Amino acid sequence: MYKGVYDNGTFGVPVAVKELKPNAQYVYLKALLAEIKIMIYVGQHENIVEFLGACTRSKLEACIVLRLYPYGTLEHYLRDHRQTLAYQNVTTIRSITNAGSGYVNPTELCVNDLIKWSLQVASALEYLFFKKVIHGDLATRNVLLDETLTAKVSDFGLARQRYTDYDFPKLCDVSHKPRSHGFVSFPC
């Protein structure tokens, strides 16, 4: 991963460039190309990392260009600010519904922030659900924070596109009698 600046004609946009090592095996190139394909298909959403483009220089070289987010991963942000977590009434610091705008204090972590990020990640997952994409590696290390501390789901390296809707078997029938499948079941 490299940092860079993309000149869009008006101003420079900080970017992260993800590319393979020069001597990487073909299986890694194939995985990176699959990630590019998924990112193109997913498109734009307010809580998904902004995909700016990709480059395939040759049959053995490729890279992905993404917007660079100043606060890094949610995992590091939570670790760095865990001592400042303020437990207070959920509505006292910032409104959860419009938490992506307005004043942001990046040195103070509060319960509102945790709820806001949970809702934002859920919004991204709902979008992926409707696009029939399974992320495959959702973790705080794969959630980035932008300049307004808005959560952005990233790293679609293990993502897969669903081509059919899955039907999950019920563990019990309508009469609420548990079926015997060799594992614990609960009444529906």
Side-chain angles (χ1 to χ4, degrees):
M1 192 73 86
Y2 300 97
K3 290 182 182 180
V5 176
Y6 168 69
D7 184 9
N8 67 1
T10 309
F11 57 90
V13 177
V15 296
V17 180
K18 181 178 182 178
E19 69 177 2
L20 297 174
K21 294 180 181 177
N23 57 352
Q25 296 175 0
Y26 180 73
V27 68
Y28 296 114
L29 174 64
K30 194 173 174 182
L32 187 65
L33 293 174
E35 183 175 358
I36 291 170
K37 185 178 176 181
I38 289 283
M39 291 295 299
I40 291 169
Y41 174 74
V42 165
Q44 293 187 356
H45 183 270
E46 63 187 346
N47 299 116
I48 293 180
V49 67
E50 188 177 347
F51 173 75
L52 297 174
C55 178
T56 52
R57 289 175 237 161
S58 71
K59 291 183 179 181
L60 300 174
E61 292 182 285
C63 68
I64 299 175
V65 181
L66 306 168
R67 180 178 292 275
L68 183 67
Y69 294 99
Y71 289 106
T73 68
L74 180 57
E75 177 181 37
H76 287 112
Y77 190 86
L78 290 172
R79 275 198 193 136
D80 293 346
H81 295 85
R82 67 179 163 222
Q83 300 301 328
T84 67
L85 180 59
Y87 294 96
Q88 72 281 339
N89 186 341
V90 174
T91 59
T92 57
I93 300 294
R94 287 190 277 266
S95 168
I96 296 170
T97 56
N98 56 2
S101 61
Y103 175 74
V104 173
N105 181 0
T107 61
E108 181 181 298
L109 182 62
C110 65
V111 174
N112 270 12
D113 293 321
L114 302 177
I115 294 170
K116 173 186 75 169
W117 293 326
S118 299
L119 292 172
Q120 291 168 345
V121 170
S123 174
L125 292 179
E126 180 183 41
Y127 175 76
L128 292 176
F129 172 79
F130 287 114
K131 297 289 281 187
K132 296 187 179 206
V133 172
I134 298 170
H135 186 276
D137 191 22
L138 187 63
T140 55
R141 69 179 176 275
N142 292 330
V143 176
L144 303 175
L145 297 173
D146 72 4
E147 49 282 331
T148 62
L149 294 179
T150 300
K152 309 280 188 175
V153 174
S154 68
D155 197 351
F156 286 80
L158 295 178
R160 297 294 171 255
Q161 194 171 352
R162 288 186 352 234
Y163 294 103
T164 61
D165 288 326
Y166 296 109
D167 290 327
F168 295 100
K170 289 186 178 182
L171 299 178
C172 59
D173 59 15
V174 178
S175 64
H176 302 296
K177 294 177 185 172
R179 293 181 185 171
S180 177
H181 294 295
F183 50 86
V184 176
S185 63
F186 299 96
C188 296

